Amino acid sequence: MPVRPALASALGAAALLCAAVGPAGADPAAPAAPSETVTVDATGKLASDGTVTLSGTYRCTAGSGPVFVSSSISQSSPGVRYGIGGSGAKCDGAEHHWKNSGKPGDETLKAGKAHVQATLMELRPTDTGLIGNLPLPAFHAAADKDITLAKQ
């Protein structure tokens, strides 16, 4: 490969990598503000068709992009997590209830102990100057909780 196209490819890849990192001060891994929380209820519901329903509360302050509460569950193998839906969040500083439902693919979950992770995440637009407003995740809060999965 000639040097000029290889150099252009490398510079393009570096520019995209820098754009994905975002501007200074907008660290998506920065800790959440103390006033921003997400909780998980102690009991989840398991329907006869395998659908899981998880719930809890959240509180967040205003954001510049759409905010979501996502949830996942694990049971017999802690390294295997199943996404259980997602719902939109209203960030007005007040406490709100969230509820997500989903069927974890081919895996059959059973009534009993399970582990849930809930995340309050914003897709924050960033003006990188290179490729427009690339939305990057900004985490507001996260929670991990052992729960009981109960048959409905």
Side-chain angles (χ1 to χ4, degrees), residues 30 57 108 127:
T57 62
T108 302
D127 186 7

Side-chain angles (χ1 to χ4, degrees), residues 42-124:
T43 304
K45 296 178 183 174
L46 178 62
S48 58
D49 69 351
T51 299
V52 174
T53 301
L54 303 171
S55 58
T57 62
Y58 72 89
R59 178 189 318 262
C60 55
T61 56
S64 57
V67 180
F68 302 93
V69 178
S70 65
S71 56
S72 63
I73 190 168
S74 63
Q75 199 168 49
S76 58
S77 178
V80 178
R81 304 189 71 74
Y82 301 96
I84 305 297
S87 52
K90 182 177 182 180
C91 289
D92 59 4
E95 185 173 270
H96 298 279
H97 187 261
W98 65 268
K99 180 165 58 170
N100 295 338
S101 294
K103 195 169 179 181
D106 295 335
E107 178 67 22
T108 302
L109 297 174
K110 297 173 178 63
K113 294 180 181 180
H115 185 79
V116 173
Q117 183 178 56
T119 305
L120 186 60
M121 192 252 332
E122 176 183 355
L123 289 177
R124 187 175 292 162

